[in-house]
Amino acid sequence: MKGDAHSRVKRWPWTMRSLPTNPNGDFSSALPLGVAPSPHSVTLVEGLQMTQDFVHEPVLAAEVVNAMAVEDGIIVDATLGGAGHSALLLERYPQVRIIGIDRDPIAREAARRRLAPYGDRSTVVAGDFASMATLVRPLTHDVPIRGVLMDLGVSSPQLDDGSRGFSFRYDAPLDMRMDTTQGETAAQYIASADVYELADLFREHGESRFAGAIARSVIAALPTTTSELVSAVERAVPAAARRRGHVATRVFQALRVVVNDEEAQLREGLDAAISLLAPGGVLVVMSYHSGEDKVVKKFMLEGESGGCTCPPQLPCVCGAISTLEVTRHGAILASSDEVERNPRARSARLRIARLKELA
Ligand SMILES: C[S@@+](CC[C@H](N)C(=O)[O-])C[C@H]1O[C@@H](n2cnc3c(N)ncnc32)[C@H](O)[C@@H]1O
């Protein structure tokens, strides 16, 4: 083991820097000291071009908007993306302001453009949602936060942008960072990992049968592009077992999760969301894989039970304090119509909880 993957990813503090506007439009000077720019660091010109094409259809849009049901105050959109949900929320709730966070500079730029018609009703903030409390508090001016939305994972433009390395469908440098201005790329992560760490990672993400073989093949290849990674996976897994790209899907997802420190981000982000909400405020979380959904479900149920250890049929005597009310048990899923229109809605799981008004 050469070290903990998350601690390596976290080696650079998640403080945000404003993007440099030097004449070359080169963002690489925003990289931490000692980190070489990735071969495909996004230039300002490319970034602007991408924001023109940033189209992400918000998943379970009506359900998210209805779940918020707020009259006034602030909604924090902790995963702003292309601001699809945020724009709908601003339309539906005319007294509400949005503070939107995203760690992806291209997403933020697209969101700014999308929200421009709403003037000062929206504020776009650079950063990660684990730091949501610190980022948002100075911006509220004591206006209560009535809702927090977390629409986890990556957006369609991130997946479909062939240059970012999130998808095995496009040959690209193996990057996978949502925040292209800092941290290790997937290629750098692989180069500094060992075979046991990679095998554990792939196992955790559902690739139990071939995790060891894939890890050995990946370490032997040290891929720097998506197609090299796919080839390394293919060499390790017999063709019959590679059903419709599922193995590559899981390997790519596992690497994306570790490169972006998504597990710690989610746990810290959920705590931060609760710390921000005003009593009665709503937490709306949408996840796209079972590992994430389990964390969200457990967090909400523990908030509801307050960690109570009493037998369910008896009144609580252990002193647990319930802080959350889960407004609907069981996740909300997309309808077959929505999935047909937007296949990315297929794996979405929406969960909603309300912060209780404590007596
Ligand atoms: C599924 S998309 C959100 C799409 C958005 N709801 C919309 O309607 O356009 C998720 C977004 O969250 C961002 N994101 C993911 N994890 C994040 C984190 N830990 N901190 C901040 N932003 C994050 C990604 O960069 C991406 O833009």
Side-chain angles (χ1 to χ4, degrees):
M1 200 78 172
K2 289 182 198 161
D4 173 62
H6 289 167
S7 67
R8 283 212 306 279
V9 173
K10 277 184 176 164
R11 193 163 54 207
W12 303 291
W14 288 109
T15 48
M16 294 306 299
R17 305 137 196 256
S18 43
L19 296 174
T21 50
N22 68 35
N24 302 325
D26 183 0
F27 291 1
S28 60
S29 61
L31 285 168
L33 227 59
V35 177
S38 115
H40 58 294
S41 288
V42 181
T43 65
L44 190 56
V45 174
E46 286 164 345
L48 288 175
Q49 177 56 48
M50 287 175 208
T51 66
Q52 317 276 339
D53 308 330
F54 200 104
V55 180
H56 174 92
E57 184 172 344
V59 172
L60 287 166
E63 290 80 355
V64 166
V65 172
N66 290 336
M68 280 296 175
V70 291
E71 293 296 313
D72 57 14
I74 293 172
I75 293 174
V76 175
D77 184 345
T79 50
L80 190 57
H85 285 115
S86 275
L88 293 170
L89 288 164
L90 288 167
E91 283 294 333
R92 170 78 168 269
Y93 304 112
Q95 308 301 324
V96 160
R97 254 183 68 205
I98 295 269
I99 299 178
I101 302 171
D102 207 292
R103 62 194 341 194
D104 181 335
I106 298 170
R108 288 195 302 276
E109 200 42 50
R112 273 194 197 96
R113 292 157 55 93
R114 178 81 187 266
L115 298 177
Y118 302 95
D120 62 5
R121 290 181 61 210
S122 74
T123 308
V124 176
V125 183
D128 60 81
F129 57 58
S131 320
M132 174 175 359
T134 324
L135 294 170
V136 167
R137 264 200 201 101
L139 305 173
T140 62
H141 305 290
D142 294 330
V143 176
I145 296 176
R146 305 286 190 206
V148 175
L149 169 63
M150 298 169 77
D151 178 13
L152 303 171
V154 281
S155 64
S156 307
Q158 285 167 326
L159 279 172
D160 294 341
D161 178 344
S163 72
R164 299 196 60 175
F166 283 113
S167 170
F168 58 83
R169 295 180 211 287
Y170 309 97
D171 187 19
L174 202 53
D175 190 324
M176 299 196 189
R177 289 168 305 159
M178 294 182 199
D179 180 349
T180 48
T181 67
Q182 60 181 332
E184 271 179 327
T185 66
Q188 288 168 330
Y189 165 69
I190 290 169
S192 63
D194 68 20
V195 76
Y196 302 105
E197 184 178 335
L198 277 191
D200 282 349
L201 177 70
F202 298 147
R203 215 167 280 123
E204 262 171 47
H205 286 267
E207 203 30 78
S208 50
R209 229 170 120 204
F210 300 106
I214 297 170
R216 282 192 296 279
S217 179
V218 169
I219 290 288
L222 291 185
T224 57
T225 65
T226 51
S227 60
E228 287 170 8
L229 176 59
V230 171
S231 304
V233 171
E234 284 178 353
R235 281 196 292 279
V237 181
R242 275 186 241 137
R243 298 171 4 260
R244 293 182 292 135
H246 284 4
V247 178
T249 304
R250 286 192 284 259
V251 167
F252 271 67
Q253 180 177 290
L255 288 168
R256 191 201 87 201
V257 166
V258 77
V259 162
N260 294 289
D261 199 15
E262 290 182 37
E263 291 176 0
Q265 280 285 319
L266 178 55
R267 284 192 304 272
E268 291 168 31
L270 290 168
D271 282 337
I274 294 302
S275 77
L276 280 173
L277 278 174
V282 191
L283 174 64
V284 177
V285 188
M286 197 147 34
S287 51
Y288 296 85
H289 63 83
S290 58
E292 263 175 0
D293 183 52
K294 265 189 211 143
V295 173
V296 176
K297 179 178 174 186
K298 185 163 178 276
F299 177 86
M300 290 186 174
L301 290 178
E302 280 179 3
E304 188 171 58
S305 74
C308 174
T309 51
C310 303
Q313 316 307 342
L314 298 177
C316 172
V317 288
C318 70
I321 298 176
S322 162
T323 50
L324 289 179
E325 178 199 348
V326 178
T327 56
R328 180 192 198 275
H329 285 270
I332 299 174
L333 311 181
S335 67
S336 49
D337 278 359
E338 177 168 358
V339 173
E340 201 173 313
R341 219 177 42 247
N342 179 12
R344 281 181 186 144
R346 191 183 46 234
S347 49
R349 301 271 179 286
L350 177 66
R351 295 191 183 270
I352 306 160
R354 186 175 290 279
L355 188 68
K356 283 189 172 170
E357 320 242 3
L358 293 179

